[in-house]
Amino acid sequence: MPGLNLRGIAVHIGSQLQSLAPLERAFERVGRLVADLRAAGHNITHVDLGGGLGVRYREGDNPPSPAEFGAMVERVTRGWDVELMFEPGRVISANSGCS
């Protein structure tokens, strides 16, 4: 579209994820989209990787840690040359105020 100045993209595949695998697959697709958009002439500078990292609500819940998430993000996004943004949501606030 003439006049469109696409600078960033965002993804959010859900909340309360108990595995990094779906996030990793989504982020790999986002990386391909960034490359395709750049090849089409867009100057992609920002990527919002959303949220979705789960928390322990019930016995047996075993979500990945923020450190594990960060290591995966670092590995998958290496070379993207963008500013990454996140929406951490429940991993920060889910258990606040609980005793």
Side-chain angles (χ1 to χ4, degrees), residues 63-78:
S65 70
E68 292 168 318
F69 175 75
M72 180 273 292
V73 168
E74 193 280 327
R75 180 175 33 77
V76 173
T77 63
R78 189 176 295 130

Side-chain angles (χ1 to χ4, degrees), residues 44-60:
I44 304 300
T45 59
H46 293 76
V47 174
D48 182 335
L49 293 177
L53 194 57
V55 296
R56 288 181 177 87
Y57 283 127
R58 292 181 288 275
E59 186 84 23

Side-chain angles (χ1 to χ4, degrees), residues 5-11 30 33-34 37 42-48 82-83 85:
N5 184 14
L6 185 61
R7 301 290 297 218
I9 58 175
V11 62
V30 167
L33 178 59
V34 167
L37 290 170
H42 298 284
N43 182 26
I44 304 300
T45 59
H46 293 76
V47 174
D48 182 335
V82 297
E83 182 175 330
M85 297 176 283

